[in-house]
Amino acid sequence: MSDQLIQIEHLRKSFGGNEVLKGIDLTISRGDAIAIIGQSGCGKSVLLKHLIRLLKPDEGTVTFDGQDIATADSRWLREMRYRVGVLFQSAALFDSMSVAENVGLGLKESREYSPKQIAEKVAEKLDLVGLGSATNKYPSELSGGMRKRVGLARAIATDPEVLLYDEPTTGLDPITSDMINDLIVDLRDKLNVTSIAVTHDMVSAYKIADRIVMLYDGVVQFDGTPKDAQTTDDPIVQQFINGRAIGPIQVR
Amino acid sequence: MNHALESLGRRGVNFVAKTGGIFFMMVKFIASLKDIPFSLRLIVEQIYLVGVRSLPLIITISIFIGAVSVWQAAYQFKFIGAPLRLLGQAVGKAVVIELAPVLSALVFAGRVGAGITAELGTMRVTEQIDALESMGISPIRYLVLPRVVASTLMLPFLVIFANFVAILGGVIVSVAGVAVSSETFLNGFRDSFNLSDFNNGLIKAAVFGFLIGIVGCYEGFNAGGGAQGVGKATTSAVVVASVLILVSNFVFALMLFRI
Ligand SMILES: Nc1ncnc2c1ncn2[C@@H]1O[C@H](COP(=O)(O)OP(=O)(O)OP(=O)(O)O)[C@@H](O)[C@H]1O
Ligand SMILES: [Mg+2]
């Protein structure tokens, strides 16, 4: 087994006339902890969705474990998706289901667990995100930050080997944010989960990632360690991580 | 001029895309039928939501369908001088063959088809359908299969009720408003009743239910652009389903009821 888990080559994607990804090249190895940063609307969520074929490339390929996912059959795809947990930017909770049902759905549909095992796992994951008491609530009764955390519990419910987080700490208070950061670090350290997190929160990025990838104008502008990111003389990266309105990046 | 042509062209493209999309949805639904054993709980749930919960509405409209049919038939009989004892035969045929299946289907499209599109459309724009897929769960099996199975099975079931209740409504009006006794009315109905008409009505209802479910799912899956997009998709689902019901009903008339 090679160390390379995901390979993105020359990935291009447009919506109508709007070219969002203009040739992304990125290789992700097992155990990597990547933070993807970049301006709002630059295509971070779109990139994440390509990794599990929720979107298909216009050009270029995404390879997972040696298999081009665009040409994979539905069975392979299903198995691949079992191995990947996703936290959506909007949390995307099923609003007809309680918190417990949301978190347990993947377990239940895999038909590998008894109801009792599912209940135990659900309780365990909800405790991890600090929501052990919200089991029987419905998504509409939760705050934005609570929804995010239920989404996170759902993403990790099936103990996936790869986790995609779309802004895991956005909308959380600093203390809860830190708790989620710790959880993400724990998952990586204890279970050797490969994680790819989109984030705007540089504190979080430095904490959870050992590799920072910056998207700019549809391509990878920067790819390196957090330390490199802080010391690079690339003005675009500097402007972004230091959060300055003045610089080469124009706010669109 | 150029503008108008362009707009016409775009509509043409949309029409073709929609027709293809609806057809493709049917193919995917049929391919998912093998998963029925794993979806029984979801199907039962939808049967309840789609079928049982529609019963009060169908009963209400059916009383009035029977009532107005008798009233209008009596009105016309008066003009052409037809004997009122034939009232039960004329109205019975019309209800069983056309009125109960078609009007129930149109109401069902408004209630159930629109409901399916609104629900699935919201799930689409809030990424819930993406979330299902990301968990390795097929949205076709999980969402489309139970809804289409339920609407295909339940519309005929509702039409059986609609037939009974419409005849009941007809009896009430004929006794109270037209002075034809219930025996006369029901005898006339029985004389003209034909089991194959009744069955054909149910077959039509099953096809209408299938179309309503498929169109509802297709429109919901293809909703885009937030709440406004979901609203548009819902309107479109009711319009498309209604047109398909009436067109296919005419095709049925040509096929099943040979003159
Ligand atoms: N399904 C879609 N249809 C059309 N355009 C889309 C779609 N999804 C994304 N886009 C467009 O792609 C671009 C990138 O969107 P994306 O959601 O990836 O941004 P992002 O980098 O995640 O931004 P943010 O940080 O604000 O979440 C945007 O211009 C958006 O309008
Ligand atoms: Mg995003």
Side-chain angles (χ1 to χ4, degrees), chain B:
Chain B
M1 183 61 204
N2 234 340
H3 209 73
L5 269 181
E6 215 172 82
S7 148
L8 201 68
R10 210 168 27 239
R11 272 159 196 260
V13 170
N14 284 346
F15 178 78
V16 171
K18 194 166 264 200
T19 311
I22 290 172
F23 187 72
F24 195 45
M25 187 58 96
M26 289 180 190
V27 172
K28 286 194 281 193
F29 166 75
I30 289 165
S32 76
L33 285 172
K34 64 178 189 319
D35 293 323
I36 284 185
F38 309 115
S39 305
L40 288 178
R41 189 187 55 80
L42 295 165
I43 292 173
V44 170
E45 192 180 298
Q46 286 302 320
I47 282 181
Y48 174 74
L49 291 173
V50 158
V52 180
R53 295 278 291 270
S54 298
L55 204 47
L57 177 63
I58 294 292
I59 286 177
T60 312
I61 66 149
S62 302
I63 290 185
F64 289 99
I65 290 171
V68 79
S69 308
V70 166
W71 188 260
Q72 292 290 10
Y75 177 72
Q76 292 193 32
F77 278 23
K78 206 173 93 187
F79 275 97
I80 56 177
L84 283 174
R85 63 186 162 75
L86 295 179
L87 209 50
Q89 311 188 347
V91 169
K93 278 270 189 220
V95 163
V96 169
I97 295 175
E98 294 292 341
L99 295 174
V102 172
L103 293 177
S104 299
L106 292 174
V107 169
F108 195 76
R111 183 181 187 275
V112 171
I116 290 175
T117 304
E119 185 187 10
L120 300 192
T122 305
M123 291 186 74
R124 165 61 76 200
V125 301
T126 56
E127 298 182 314
Q128 292 176 53
I129 293 181
D130 282 346
L132 271 182
E133 272 189 272
S134 79
M135 297 165 90
I137 299 170
S138 155
I140 299 292
R141 174 182 80 71
Y142 199 79
L143 300 172
V144 175
L145 175 67
R147 282 166 179 75
V148 178
V149 167
S151 62
T152 309
L153 292 179
M154 291 320 275
L155 190 52
F157 164 83
L158 291 167
V159 168
I160 295 175
F161 276 84
N163 281 324
F164 276 109
V165 176
I167 295 305
L168 181 70
V171 170
I172 294 170
V173 171
S174 77
V175 172
V178 191
V180 171
S181 76
S182 58
E183 290 80 40
T184 312
F185 183 87
L186 288 174
N187 281 338
F189 173 63
R190 209 178 33 238
D191 287 347
S192 73
F193 183 82
N194 179 338
L195 192 63
S196 81
D197 287 347
F198 178 81
N199 288 339
N200 285 338
L202 297 189
I203 291 170
K204 290 205 295 190
V207 172
F208 298 157
F210 173 74
L211 291 172
I212 291 167
I214 290 284
V215 170
C217 290
Y218 166 79
E219 292 288 351
F221 268 49
N222 290 285
Q228 200 191 5
V230 176
K232 267 193 193 158
T234 307
T235 309
S236 174
V238 176
V239 171
V240 172
S242 302
V243 170
L244 285 178
I245 288 166
L246 294 171
V247 171
S248 61
N249 187 52
F250 180 60
V251 175
F252 270 117
L254 299 180
M255 278 171 23
L256 295 178
F257 305 95
R258 292 297 173 95
I259 297 174

Side-chain angles (χ1 to χ4, degrees), chain A residues 55 120 144 160:
Chain A
L55 290 172
E120 281 167 8

